[in-house]
């Protein structure tokens, strides 16, 4: 689903479903399109495509929540985390621009982790990861864990599914996400090696800016990555551990091992 107003992105969402639940899924996407806190769309596009290849099945990344109380702490942590996985100052600054400029993209920026070059062919649009889903059984498990932490089911589960798909590509170093939803102030950083780290207070309440940056190796197979994100169906069929709250100091050395 893609919703926009005067050509500007409002919201989008995607999933992989059994034929028998498509009608319900479409209804739910239409409801979402018309109830997003970024505003009412004047155009909603729903595309339904049959999968032509068998999905890749993955276990979701382990999830941590970093104990962060302020926006300053959030960014200090993100910087330390990204440096610890090898991201340079230059790439960090370029990523900050992507998530804080106020130019909201439909998809993600793909950035080399040392030289900070943007590799997405269309920097206004970005690259959108689609064809990603979760089995009903895995979703039930994930929802019950999410409920036990009193988190938002849809937002958290979709982000974990997406981050798991992104992290599984060989040239991906890490991902940074700041929601563009003004009501949602928890972002994340993730990687295959460290798991998915929820970062509260990544932005101030009411802020419409947001974005995603996928950091990749300097010699990344960019065409292969774009093809994988847009076309390879990935389905989460088991759920990684939810490890609860960790302090920023604990987080980095632990994940650096
Ligand atoms: P959200 O977490 O849905 O608020 O999205 C935050 C930002 O991430 C959006 O502004 C987009 O730039 C990007 N984004 C959202 N969904 C996707 C996706 N499926 N693939 C790539 N980037 C996305």
């Amino acid at each position: 689903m893609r919703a926009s107003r005067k050509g500007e992105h409002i919201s989008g969402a995607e999933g992989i479903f059994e034929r028998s639940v498509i009608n319900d899924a479409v209804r739910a996407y239409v409801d979402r399109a018309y109830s997003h806190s970024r505003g009412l769309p004047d155009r909603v596009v729903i595309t339904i495509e049959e999968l032509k290849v068998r999905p890749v099945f993955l276990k979701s990344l382990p999830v941590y929540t970093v104990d962060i109380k302020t926006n300053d702490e959030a960014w200090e942590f993100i910087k330390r985390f990204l440096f610890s996985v090898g991201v340079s100052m230059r790439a960090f600054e370029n990523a900050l621009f992507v998530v804080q400029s106020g130019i909201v993209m439909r998809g993600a920026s793909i950035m080399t982790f040392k030289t900070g070059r943007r590799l997405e062919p269309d920097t206004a649009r970005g690259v959108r990861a689609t064809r990603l889903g979760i089995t009903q059984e895995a979703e039930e498990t994930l929802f019950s864990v999410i409920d036990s932490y009193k988190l938002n089911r849809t937002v958290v589960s979709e982000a974990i599914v997406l981050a798991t798909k992104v992290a599984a590509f060989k040239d991906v170093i890490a991902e940074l996400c700041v929601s563009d939803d003004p009501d949602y102030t928890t972002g994340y950083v993730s990687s295959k090696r460290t798991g998915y780290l929820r970062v509260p207070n990544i932005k101030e309440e009411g802020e419409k800016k947001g974005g995603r940056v996928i950091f990749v190796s300097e010699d990344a197979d960019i065409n292969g990555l774009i093809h994988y994100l847009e076309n390879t169906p990935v389905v989460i069929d088991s759920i990684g551990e939810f490890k609860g709250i960790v302090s920023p100091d604990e987080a980095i050395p632990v994940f650096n091992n």
Side-chain angles (χ1 to χ4, degrees), residues 131-150:
R131 304 191 188 176
L132 67 188
I134 182 164
T135 61
Q136 205 179 336
E137 209 186 341
E139 188 176 64
E140 279 165 19
T141 309
L142 184 56
F143 280 175
S144 71
V145 191
I146 289 174
D147 289 352
S148 72
Y149 283 89
K150 298 196 168 51

Side-chain angles (χ1 to χ4, degrees), residues 2 42 45 73 82 92 124 138 155-156 165 173 196 201 257:
R2 307 201 312 261
D42 62 12
V45 178
E73 277 175 30
L82 290 174
F92 172 72
V155 174
V156 176
K165 176 171 182 179
I173 307 282
Y196 177 102
N201 300 303
N257 291 335

Side-chain angles (χ1 to χ4, degrees), residues 206-221:
E207 184 57 75
K208 281 188 169 185
K209 293 174 190 168
R212 263 188 171 84
V213 179
I214 300 172
F215 296 95
V216 297
S217 54
E218 292 299 316
D219 59 353
D221 170 11

Side-chain angles (χ1 to χ4, degrees), residues 150-251:
K150 298 196 168 51
L151 303 174
N152 181 314
R153 279 184 169 192
T154 311
V155 174
V156 176
S157 65
E158 287 186 357
I160 292 172
V161 170
L162 191 148
T164 301
K165 176 171 182 179
V166 168
F169 191 80
K170 63 178 173 46
D171 299 330
V172 169
I173 307 282
E175 185 194 341
L176 164 68
C177 173
V178 180
S179 175
D180 56 35
D181 181 335
D183 297 338
Y184 201 74
T185 58
T186 300
Y188 69 81
V189 281
S190 61
S191 78
K192 191 160 49 192
R193 194 153 58 96
T194 62
Y196 177 102
L197 284 83
R198 304 180 60 247
V199 182
N201 300 303
I202 203 164
K203 67 178 195 177
E204 308 290 351
E205 187 94 42
E207 184 57 75
K208 281 188 169 185
K209 293 174 190 168
R212 263 188 171 84
V213 179
I214 300 172
F215 296 95
V216 297
S217 54
E218 292 299 316
D219 59 353
D221 170 11
I222 181 66
N223 294 330
L225 174 59
I226 293 173
H227 181 82
Y228 167 78
L229 293 174
E230 294 182 340
N231 295 300
T232 304
V234 168
V235 171
I236 303 303
D237 65 349
S238 65
I239 301 303
E241 232 184 307
F242 262 63
K243 306 229 187 191
I245 298 178
V246 291
S247 75
D249 279 345
E250 272 171 318

Side-chain angles (χ1 to χ4, degrees), residues 23 47 51 56-57 97 123 168 174 206 212 230 247:
N23 290 29
T47 308
L51 291 185
V56 174
F57 290 94
F97 177 80
T123 51
R212 263 188 171 84
E230 294 182 340
S247 75

